[in-house]
Amino acid sequence: MSAQADFSHIPAFQVRTAGEQRIPFVFNSPHSGRHYPPRFLAMSRLDAATIRRSEDCYVDELFSVAASLGAPLLSANFPRAYLDVNREPWELDPRMFREPVPSFTNIRSPRVAGGLGTIPKLVGEGLDIYGERLPLGEALSRIEHIYRPYHACLAELLQRTRDTFGYAILIDCHSMPANIRVGDGSLRPDFIIGDRFGSSAAPGLTEHAISLLAARGYAVAHNKPYAGGFITEHYGRPVEQVHALQIEINRGLYMNERTLQRIEGFSALADDLAEFVRTLTMIPDQYFLTVPMAAE
């Protein structure tokens, strides 16, 4: 059995569209997958509920309006606990596998150290996913059959968007635990906008996103504690006319983190996000087609 077989009856990921693309945006929800293959669950020491602790529940639904507005929405069906595509392809913890990992593997990244590599070791608050070491072939299969095709799809969407409109904007959609605090700990942000400290997007896009959410009464933080992961960093290249923002939503706004059920605020947040997406995607071309080149 392999990762390919795990997703033989349901695609590992999907792109939602509403006909022809009409705006230069691509939306991405890489952590909202909720198809847990039986073979994976059998490997895990966690029950079917606990293993979902790292899932960005319902984020793909909250941003589903993007497709109706004419932007493709790429979303994972595989869960983050199974494979994290917001990592380099080879961020692996050698302690997780029976055989030595390849020499080119990034085994010293902070994300690997935290148990959150390409093949995660942990979910939630430090809960080990597996009770024993995995065969290295398990990681290779997930990377080859799911990670690589996912990123090939995302890269193609961005390339096609840039070719059509002259520039492309990637909105990478995530959620965060409700207990996140910033600054001196007094601010609990509703949203965090990440642009890799200004390197992944035109300043006007970041400022516009923050102002739109703040105008609706939300507390918005910028880059702290989440500045954007591998996807934002890898694809956000303003000098090449590709811009990337990461958006983190506080889960406490829309769900019970213990039961994973929607709460009363879900519909109101969905409505606000729909209006946010509509307004954000109307941002003028001038913010992007005249981005200055980086200094030497």
Side-chain angles (χ1 to χ4, degrees):
M1 298 291 284
S2 68
Q4 197 170 25
D6 287 340
F7 292 89
S8 59
H9 299 296
I10 182 172
F13 55 88
Q14 60 190 5
V15 179
R16 302 178 200 176
T17 61
E20 184 178 1
Q21 186 174 354
R22 301 190 298 276
I23 52 178
F25 281 75
V26 173
F27 287 76
N28 181 49
S29 182
H31 289 164
S32 56
R34 44 193 173 269
H35 174 69
Y36 289 77
R39 190 179 70 91
F40 171 56
L41 291 176
M43 292 180 193
S44 175
R45 60 186 292 275
L46 303 177
D47 61 59
T50 305
I51 203 169
R52 297 183 65 186
R53 293 287 181 86
S54 293
E55 183 183 312
D56 283 351
C57 292
Y58 314 120
V59 166
D60 54 338
E61 294 182 29
L62 289 169
F63 283 93
S64 61
V65 69
S68 66
L69 295 174
L73 170 61
L74 171 62
S75 58
N77 289 322
F78 60 88
R80 180 186 187 183
Y82 178 89
L83 174 72
D84 195 340
V85 290
N86 198 24
R87 301 289 181 261
E88 299 172 23
W90 297 100
E91 285 189 79
L92 301 178
D93 184 341
R95 298 167 297 179
M96 290 181 63
F97 304 101
R98 298 172 191 166
E99 302 87 5
V101 298
S103 59
F104 52 79
T105 299
N106 183 353
I107 64 174
R108 293 184 173 85
S109 80
R111 295 177 287 217
V112 168
L116 300 174
T118 314
I119 307 298
K121 182 177 185 291
L122 307 174
V123 297
E125 302 298 322
L127 299 172
D128 280 287
I129 296 173
Y130 305 99
E132 58 185 31
R133 293 191 177 209
L134 300 175
L136 181 62
E138 185 64 37
L140 303 181
S141 179
R142 296 182 198 180
I143 292 168
E144 182 65 27
H145 294 299
I146 300 179
Y147 183 102
R148 291 193 183 282
Y150 190 97
H151 277 278
C153 179
L154 181 54
E156 182 182 3
L157 288 171
L158 290 169
Q159 180 68 51
R160 189 169 68 215
T161 300
R162 187 178 64 174
D163 290 347
T164 300
F165 298 95
Y167 63 96
I169 300 168
L170 171 64
I171 306 297
D172 202 39
C173 308
H174 297 264
S175 68
M176 60 185 172
N179 62 2
I180 293 296
R181 297 290 188 273
V182 297
D184 61 3
S186 61
L187 174 65
R188 189 205 77 166
D190 298 313
F191 291 88
I192 299 175
I193 302 297
D195 61 3
R196 299 298 303 178
F197 303 102
S199 68
S200 71
L205 176 64
T206 301
E207 293 163 6
H208 193 48
I210 292 172
S211 66
L212 288 174
L213 291 168
R216 303 194 75 83
Y218 291 107
V220 187
H222 182 205
N223 283 327
K224 295 180 180 180
Y226 304 120
F230 172 76
I231 288 172
T232 308
E233 181 178 25
H234 180 71
Y235 292 101
R237 302 183 183 277
V239 296
E240 298 175 17
Q241 300 297 354
V242 180
H243 307 262
L245 282 187
Q246 177 175 284
I247 297 182
E248 297 272 1
I249 309 171
N250 191 307
R251 293 174 193 150
L253 294 173
Y254 69 91
M255 64 176 281
N256 181 312
E257 291 185 273
R258 184 179 60 83
T259 66
L260 307 184
Q261 298 300 307
R262 297 173 178 86
I263 61 174
E264 187 175 347
F266 186 95
S267 295
L269 176 64
D271 290 344
D272 280 350
L273 280 173
E275 187 58 32
F276 164 74
V277 170
R278 289 188 191 98
T279 310
L280 182 69
T281 57
M282 294 170 63
I283 189 170
D285 291 349
Q286 68 193 46
Y287 283 104
F288 310 102
L289 298 180
T290 58
V291 174
M293 296 296 289
E296 292 291 341

